[in-house]
Coordinates of all heavy atoms in Angstrom, one line a residue:
E171 N 103.0 93.8 92.0 CA 104.2 93.1 92.3 C 105.2 93.2 91.1 O 105.4 92.2 90.4 CB 104.0 91.6 92.7 CG 105.1 91.0 93.4 CD 104.7 89.7 94.1 OE1 104.1 88.9 93.4 OE2 105.0 89.6 95.3
P172 N 105.8 94.4 90.9 CA 106.6 94.5 89.7 C 107.8 93.6 89.6 O 108.4 93.3 90.5 CB 107.1 96.0 89.8 CG 106.6 96.5 91.1 CD 105.8 95.5 91.7
R173 N 107.9 93.0 88.4 CA 109.0 92.0 88.2 C 110.3 92.6 87.9 O 111.4 92.0 88.0 CB 108.6 91.0 87.1 CG 107.3 90.3 87.4 CD 107.5 88.8 87.2 NE 106.3 88.1 87.8 CZ 105.2 87.8 87.2 NH1 105.0 88.1 86.0 NH2 104.2 87.2 87.9
I174 N 110.3 93.9 87.4 CA 111.6 94.6 87.2 C 111.5 95.9 88.0 O 110.5 96.3 88.5 CB 111.7 94.9 85.7 CG1 110.4 95.6 85.1 CG2 112.1 93.7 84.9 CD1 110.6 96.3 83.8
M175 N 112.7 96.5 88.0 CA 112.8 97.8 88.8 C 111.9 98.9 88.1 O 112.0 99.0 86.9 CB 114.2 98.2 88.9 CG 114.4 99.2 90.0 SD 116.1 99.0 90.7 CE 116.9 100.1 89.6
H176 N 111.1 99.6 88.9 CA 110.3 100.6 88.3 C 110.6 101.9 89.0 O 110.7 102.0 90.2 CB 108.8 100.2 88.5 CG 107.8 101.3 88.3 ND1 107.4 101.6 87.1 CD2 107.1 102.0 89.2 CE1 106.5 102.6 87.2 NE2 106.3 102.9 88.5
R177 N 110.7 103.0 88.1 CA 111.0 104.3 88.7 C 109.8 105.2 88.6 O 109.1 105.1 87.6 CB 112.2 104.9 87.9 CG 113.5 104.3 88.1 CD 114.6 105.0 87.2 NE 115.9 104.4 87.5 CZ 116.3 103.3 86.9 NH1 115.5 102.6 86.0 NH2 117.5 102.8 87.2
D178 N 109.7 106.1 89.6 CA 108.6 107.1 89.5 C 109.1 108.5 89.7 O 110.0 108.8 90.4 CB 107.6 106.8 90.6 CG 106.6 105.7 90.2 OD1 105.9 105.8 89.2 OD2 106.6 104.7 90.9
R179 N 108.4 109.5 89.0 CA 108.7 110.9 89.2 C 108.0 111.3 90.4 O 107.2 110.5 91.0 CB 108.3 111.7 88.0 CG 106.9 111.6 87.6 CD 106.5 112.1 86.3 NE 105.2 111.5 86.0 CZ 104.1 112.0 86.5 NH1 104.1 113.0 87.3 NH2 102.9 111.5 86.2
A180 N 108.1 112.6 90.8 CA 107.4 113.1 92.0 C 105.9 113.0 91.9 O 105.4 113.4 90.9 CB 107.9 114.5 92.3
L181 N 105.3 112.5 92.9 CA 103.8 112.3 92.8 C 103.2 112.9 94.1 O 103.7 112.8 95.2 CB 103.5 110.8 92.8 CG 104.1 110.0 91.7 CD1 104.0 108.5 91.9 CD2 103.4 110.3 90.4
N182 N 102.1 113.6 93.9 CA 101.4 114.1 95.0 C 99.8 114.0 94.9 O 99.1 114.7 95.6 CB 101.8 115.5 95.4 CG 101.4 116.5 94.3 OD1 100.8 116.1 93.3 ND2 101.7 117.8 94.5
G183 N 99.4 113.3 93.9 CA 98.0 113.0 93.8 C 97.2 114.1 93.0 O 96.0 114.2 93.0
E184 N 98.0 115.0 92.3 CA 97.3 116.1 91.6 C 97.1 115.7 90.1 O 96.2 116.2 89.5 CB 98.2 117.3 91.6 CG 98.2 118.0 93.0 CD 99.1 119.2 93.1 OE1 99.5 119.8 92.0 OE2 99.4 119.6 94.2
T185 N 97.9 114.9 89.6 CA 97.7 114.5 88.2 C 97.2 113.1 88.0 O 97.5 112.3 88.9 CB 99.1 114.6 87.4 OG1 100.0 113.9 88.2 CG2 99.5 116.1 87.2
I186 N 96.5 112.9 86.9 CA 96.0 111.5 86.7 C 96.8 110.9 85.6 O 96.9 111.5 84.5 CB 94.5 111.6 86.2 CG1 93.6 112.3 87.3 CG2 93.9 110.3 85.9 CD1 93.4 111.5 88.5
S187 N 97.4 109.8 85.8 CA 98.2 109.1 84.8 C 97.4 108.4 83.8 O 96.3 108.0 84.1 CB 99.2 108.2 85.5 OG 99.9 107.5 84.5
R188 N 97.9 108.3 82.6 CA 97.2 107.6 81.5 C 97.5 106.1 81.5 O 96.7 105.3 81.1 CB 97.6 108.2 80.1 CG 96.8 109.5 79.8 CD 97.5 110.3 78.7 NE 98.9 110.8 79.2 CZ 99.7 111.4 78.4 NH1 99.5 111.5 77.2 NH2 100.9 111.8 78.9
D189 N 98.6 105.8 82.1 CA 99.0 104.3 82.1 C 98.2 103.7 83.2 O 98.0 104.2 84.3 CB 100.5 104.2 82.5 CG 100.9 102.8 82.6 OD1 100.8 102.2 83.7 OD2 101.4 102.3 81.6
S190 N 97.6 102.5 82.9 CA 96.6 101.9 83.9 C 97.3 101.5 85.2 O 96.7 101.7 86.2 CB 95.9 100.7 83.2 OG 96.8 99.6 83.2
C191 N 98.5 101.0 85.1 CA 99.2 100.6 86.4 C 99.5 101.8 87.2 O 99.4 101.8 88.4 CB 100.5 99.9 86.1 SG 100.2 98.1 85.8
E192 N 99.9 102.9 86.6 CA 100.3 104.1 87.3 C 99.0 104.8 87.9 O 99.0 105.2 89.0 CB 101.0 105.2 86.3 CG 102.3 104.7 85.9 CD 103.2 104.1 87.0 OE1 103.5 104.8 87.9 OE2 103.5 102.9 86.9
Y193 N 97.9 104.7 87.1 CA 96.6 105.2 87.6 C 96.2 104.5 88.8 O 95.8 105.0 89.8 CB 95.6 105.1 86.5 CG 94.2 105.4 86.9 CD1 93.8 106.8 87.0 CD2 93.3 104.4 87.2 CE1 92.5 107.1 87.5 CE2 92.0 104.7 87.7 CZ 91.6 106.0 87.8 OH 90.4 106.3 88.2
E194 N 96.3 103.1 88.7 CA 95.9 102.3 89.9 C 96.7 102.5 91.1 O 96.2 102.6 92.2 CB 96.0 100.8 89.5 CG 94.9 100.4 88.5 CD 95.1 99.0 87.9 OE1 96.0 98.3 88.3 OE2 94.2 98.6 87.0
A195 N 98.1 102.7 90.9 CA 98.9 102.9 92.1 C 98.6 104.3 92.7 O 98.6 104.4 93.9 CB 100.4 102.8 91.6
D196 N 98.3 105.3 91.8 CA 97.9 106.6 92.3 C 96.6 106.5 93.1 O 96.5 107.2 94.2 CB 97.7 107.6 91.2 CG 99.0 108.3 90.8 OD1 100.0 108.2 91.6 OD2 99.0 108.9 89.7
K197 N 95.7 105.8 92.6 CA 94.4 105.7 93.2 C 94.5 105.0 94.6 O 93.9 105.3 95.6 CB 93.5 104.8 92.3 CG 92.0 105.2 92.3 CD 91.7 106.5 91.7 CE 90.4 107.0 92.3 NZ 90.3 108.5 92.3
F198 N 95.4 103.9 94.6 CA 95.6 103.2 95.8 C 96.2 104.1 96.8 O 95.8 104.2 98.0 CB 96.6 102.0 95.5 CG 96.9 101.3 96.8 CD1 96.1 100.2 97.2 CD2 97.9 101.7 97.7 CE1 96.3 99.5 98.4 CE2 98.1 101.0 98.9 CZ 97.3 100.0 99.2
A199 N 97.2 105.0 96.4 CA 97.8 105.9 97.3 C 96.8 106.8 98.0 O 96.8 107.0 99.2 CB 98.9 106.7 96.6
S200 N 95.9 107.3 97.1 CA 94.9 108.3 97.6 C 94.0 107.6 98.6 O 93.6 108.1 99.7 CB 94.2 108.9 96.4 OG 93.0 109.4 96.8
L201 N 93.6 106.4 98.3 CA 92.6 105.6 99.1 C 93.3 105.1 100.4 O 92.6 105.0 101.4 CB 92.0 104.5 98.4 CG 91.1 104.9 97.2 CD1 90.8 103.7 96.3 CD2 89.8 105.5 97.7
F202 N 94.6 104.8 100.3 CA 95.3 104.3 101.5 C 95.5 105.5 102.5 O 95.3 105.4 103.7 CB 96.6 103.7 101.1 CG 97.4 103.3 102.3 CD1 97.2 102.1 103.0 CD2 98.4 104.1 102.9 CE1 97.9 101.7 104.1 CE2 99.1 103.7 104.0 CZ 98.8 102.5 104.6
L203 N 95.9 106.7 101.9 CA 96.3 107.8 102.8 C 95.0 108.5 103.3 O 95.1 109.2 104.3 CB 97.2 108.8 102.1 CG 98.6 108.3 101.6 CD1 99.3 109.3 100.8 CD2 99.4 108.0 102.9
M204 N 93.9 108.4 102.6 CA 92.7 109.2 102.9 C 91.5 108.2 103.0 O 90.6 108.4 102.1 CB 92.5 110.3 102.0 CG 93.6 111.4 102.0 SD 93.4 112.6 100.7 CE 94.1 111.8 99.3
P205 N 91.5 107.3 103.9 CA 90.4 106.4 104.0 C 89.0 107.1 104.2 O 89.0 108.1 105.0 CB 90.7 105.5 105.2 CG 92.1 105.8 105.6 CD 92.4 107.1 105.1
R206 N 88.0 106.6 103.5 CA 86.7 107.1 103.6 C 86.2 107.4 105.0 O 85.9 108.6 105.3 CB 85.7 106.1 103.0 CG 84.2 106.4 103.0 CD 83.5 105.2 102.5 NE 83.9 104.9 101.1 CZ 83.3 105.4 100.0 NH1 82.3 106.2 100.1 NH2 83.8 105.1 98.8
K207 N 86.3 106.4 105.9 CA 85.8 106.6 107.3 C 86.5 107.7 108.0 O 85.9 108.6 108.6 CB 86.0 105.3 108.0 CG 84.9 104.8 108.9 CD 85.1 103.4 109.2 CE 84.8 103.1 110.7 NZ 85.0 101.6 111.0
Q208 N 87.9 107.7 108.0 CA 88.6 108.7 108.8 C 88.4 110.1 108.2 O 88.3 111.1 108.9 CB 90.1 108.4 108.8 CG 90.5 107.3 109.8 CD 90.5 105.9 109.2 OE1 89.7 105.6 108.3 NE2 91.4 105.1 109.7
V209 N 88.4 110.2 106.8 CA 88.2 111.6 106.2 C 86.9 112.1 106.6 O 86.7 113.3 107.0 CB 88.5 111.6 104.7 CG1 88.1 112.9 104.1 CG2 89.9 111.2 104.4
C210 N 85.8 111.3 106.4 CA 84.4 111.7 106.8 C 84.3 112.2 108.2 O 83.8 113.2 108.5 CB 83.4 110.7 106.4 SG 83.2 110.4 104.7
A211 N 85.0 111.4 109.1 CA 84.9 111.7 110.6 C 85.6 113.0 110.9 O 85.1 113.8 111.6 CB 85.5 110.5 111.4
S212 N 86.8 113.2 110.3 CA 87.6 114.4 110.5 C 86.8 115.6 110.0 O 86.8 116.7 110.6 CB 88.9 114.3 109.9 OG 89.7 113.3 110.5
F213 N 86.2 115.4 108.8 CA 85.5 116.5 108.1 C 84.4 117.0 109.0 O 84.2 118.2 109.2 CB 85.0 116.0 106.8 CG 84.4 117.1 105.9 CD1 85.2 117.9 105.1 CD2 83.0 117.4 106.0 CE1 84.6 118.9 104.3 CE2 82.5 118.4 105.2 CZ 83.3 119.1 104.4
K214 N 83.6 116.0 109.5 CA 82.5 116.3 110.4 C 82.9 117.0 111.7 O 82.3 118.0 112.1 CB 81.7 115.1 110.7 CG 80.3 115.4 111.3 CD 79.4 114.2 111.4 CE 78.1 114.7 111.9 NZ 77.1 113.6 111.9
Q215 N 84.0 116.6 112.2 CA 84.5 117.2 113.4 C 84.9 118.6 113.2 O 84.7 119.5 114.0 CB 85.8 116.3 113.8 CG 86.3 116.7 115.2 CD 87.7 116.2 115.4 OE1 88.2 115.4 114.5 NE2 88.4 116.6 116.4
L216 N 85.5 119.0 112.0 CA 86.0 120.3 111.8 C 84.9 121.2 111.3 O 84.8 122.4 111.7 CB 87.1 120.3 110.7 CG 88.4 119.5 111.1 CD1 89.4 119.8 110.1 CD2 88.9 119.8 112.5
F217 N 84.0 120.7 110.4 CA 83.0 121.6 109.8 C 81.6 121.3 110.2 O 80.6 121.9 109.7 CB 83.1 121.5 108.2 CG 84.5 121.9 107.7 CD1 85.4 120.9 107.2 CD2 85.0 123.2 107.9 CE1 86.7 121.2 106.8 CE2 86.2 123.5 107.4 CZ 87.1 122.5 106.9
L218 N 81.4 120.5 111.2 CA 80.2 120.2 111.9 C 79.0 119.8 111.0 O 77.8 120.1 111.2 CB 79.8 121.5 112.7 CG 80.9 122.2 113.5 CD1 80.5 123.6 113.9 CD2 81.4 121.3 114.6
T219 N 79.3 119.1 109.9 CA 78.3 118.7 108.9 C 78.8 117.5 108.1 O 80.0 117.3 108.0 CB 77.9 119.9 107.9 OG1 77.0 119.4 107.0 CG2 79.1 120.4 107.2
D220 N 77.8 116.7 107.5 CA 78.2 115.6 106.6 C 78.4 116.1 105.2 O 79.0 115.4 104.4 CB 77.1 114.6 106.6 CG 77.0 113.8 107.9 OD1 78.1 113.5 108.5 OD2 75.9 113.6 108.4
M221 N 77.9 117.3 104.9 CA 78.1 117.9 103.6 C 78.1 119.4 103.7 O 77.1 120.0 104.1 CB 77.0 117.4 102.6 CG 77.5 117.7 101.2 SD 76.2 118.1 100.1 CE 76.0 116.5 99.3
F222 N 79.2 120.0 103.3 CA 79.4 121.4 103.4 C 78.7 122.1 102.2 O 79.0 121.8 101.1 CB 80.9 121.8 103.4 CG 81.2 123.2 103.7 CD1 81.5 123.6 104.9 CD2 81.1 124.1 102.6 CE1 81.8 125.0 105.2 CE2 81.4 125.5 102.9 CZ 81.7 125.9 104.1
S223 N 77.8 123.0 102.5 CA 77.1 123.8 101.5 C 77.5 125.2 101.7 O 77.5 125.7 102.8 CB 75.6 123.7 101.6 OG 75.3 122.4 101.1
L224 N 77.8 125.9 100.6 CA 78.2 127.3 100.7 C 77.0 128.2 100.9 O 76.1 128.2 100.0 CB 79.0 127.7 99.5 CG 79.9 128.9 99.6 CD1 80.9 128.8 100.7 CD2 80.6 129.2 98.3
D225 N 76.9 128.9 102.0 CA 75.9 130.0 102.1 C 76.5 131.1 103.0 O 77.7 131.1 103.3 CB 74.6 129.4 102.7 CG 74.8 128.8 104.1 OD1 75.7 129.3 104.8 OD2 74.1 127.8 104.5
E226 N 75.7 132.1 103.3 CA 76.2 133.2 104.0 C 76.8 132.8 105.4 O 77.9 133.3 105.7 CB 75.0 134.2 104.3 CG 75.4 135.6 104.1 CD 74.2 136.5 104.2 OE1 73.3 136.4 103.3 OE2 74.2 137.3 105.1
A227 N 76.2 132.0 106.1 CA 76.6 131.6 107.4 C 77.9 130.8 107.3 O 78.9 131.0 108.1 CB 75.6 130.7 108.1
T228 N 78.0 129.8 106.4 CA 79.2 129.0 106.3 C 80.4 129.8 105.8 O 81.5 129.6 106.2 CB 79.0 127.7 105.4 OG1 78.6 128.1 104.1 CG2 78.0 126.8 106.1
T229 N 80.1 130.7 104.8 CA 81.2 131.6 104.3 C 81.8 132.4 105.4 O 83.0 132.5 105.6 CB 80.6 132.6 103.2 OG1 80.0 131.8 102.2 CG2 81.7 133.4 102.6
F230 N 80.9 132.9 106.3 CA 81.3 133.7 107.4 C 82.2 132.9 108.4 O 83.2 133.3 108.9 CB 80.1 134.3 108.2 CG 80.5 135.3 109.2 CD1 80.9 136.6 108.9 CD2 80.6 134.9 110.6 CE1 81.3 137.5 109.9 CE2 81.0 135.8 111.6 CZ 81.3 137.1 111.2
A231 N 81.7 131.6 108.6 CA 82.4 130.7 109.6 C 83.8 130.4 109.2 O 84.7 130.1 110.0 CB 81.6 129.5 109.8
L232 N 84.1 130.4 107.8 CA 85.4 130.1 107.3 C 86.5 131.1 107.6 O 87.7 130.9 107.4 CB 85.4 129.8 105.8 CG 84.9 128.4 105.4 CD1 84.5 128.4 103.9 CD2 85.9 127.3 105.8
G233 N 86.1 132.3 108.1 CA 87.0 133.3 108.4 C 87.3 134.3 107.3 O 87.0 134.1 106.2
A234 N 88.1 135.4 107.7 CA 88.2 136.6 106.8 C 88.9 136.2 105.5 O 88.4 136.6 104.4 CB 89.0 137.7 107.5
A235 N 90.0 135.5 105.5 CA 90.8 135.2 104.3 C 90.0 134.4 103.3 O 89.9 134.8 102.1 CB 92.1 134.5 104.6
A236 N 89.3 133.3 103.8 CA 88.5 132.5 102.9 C 87.3 133.3 102.4 O 87.0 133.2 101.2 CB 88.1 131.3 103.6
R237 N 86.8 134.1 103.2 CA 85.6 134.9 102.9 C 85.9 135.9 101.7 O 85.2 136.0 100.8 CB 85.2 135.7 104.1 CG 83.8 136.2 104.1 CD 83.2 136.4 105.5 NE 84.0 137.4 106.3 CZ 84.5 137.1 107.5 NH1 84.3 136.0 108.0 NH2 85.1 138.0 108.2
E238 N 87.1 136.5 101.8 CA 87.5 137.4 100.8 C 87.6 136.7 99.4 O 87.2 137.2 98.4 CB 88.9 138.0 101.1 CG 89.2 139.3 100.5 CD 90.5 139.9 100.9 OE1 90.8 140.0 102.1 OE2 91.3 140.2 100.0
M239 N 88.2 135.5 99.4 CA 88.3 134.7 98.2 C 86.9 134.3 97.7 O 86.7 134.4 96.5 CB 89.1 133.4 98.5 CG 90.5 133.5 98.2 SD 91.3 131.9 98.2 CE 91.7 131.7 99.9

Side-chain angles (χ1 to χ4, degrees):
E171 200 166 49
R173 297 228 165 94
I174 49 163
M175 200 150 85
H176 165 78
R177 292 177 176 84
D178 280 300
R179 60 194 163 76
L181 303 163
N182 66 1
E184 287 179 16
T185 48
I186 301 288
S187 176
R188 280 162 293 173
D189 177 274
S190 76
C191 277
E192 294 315 299
Y193 172 81
E194 287 169 3
D196 270 348
K197 213 64 207 159
F198 179 92
S200 157
L201 294 166
F202 177 83
L203 296 173
M204 296 173 280
R206 178 183 301 268
K207 220 164 136 181
Q208 278 96 326
V209 173
C210 289
S212 296
F213 188 89
K214 192 168 186 175
Q215 189 199 348
L216 302 189
F217 301 110
L218 317 166
T219 178
D220 290 319
M221 197 213 256
F222 186 97
S223 289
L224 198 58
D225 60 31
E226 219 172 296
T228 57
T229 304
F230 188 79
L232 278 167
R237 203 156 55 233
E238 203 178 308
M239 264 191 273

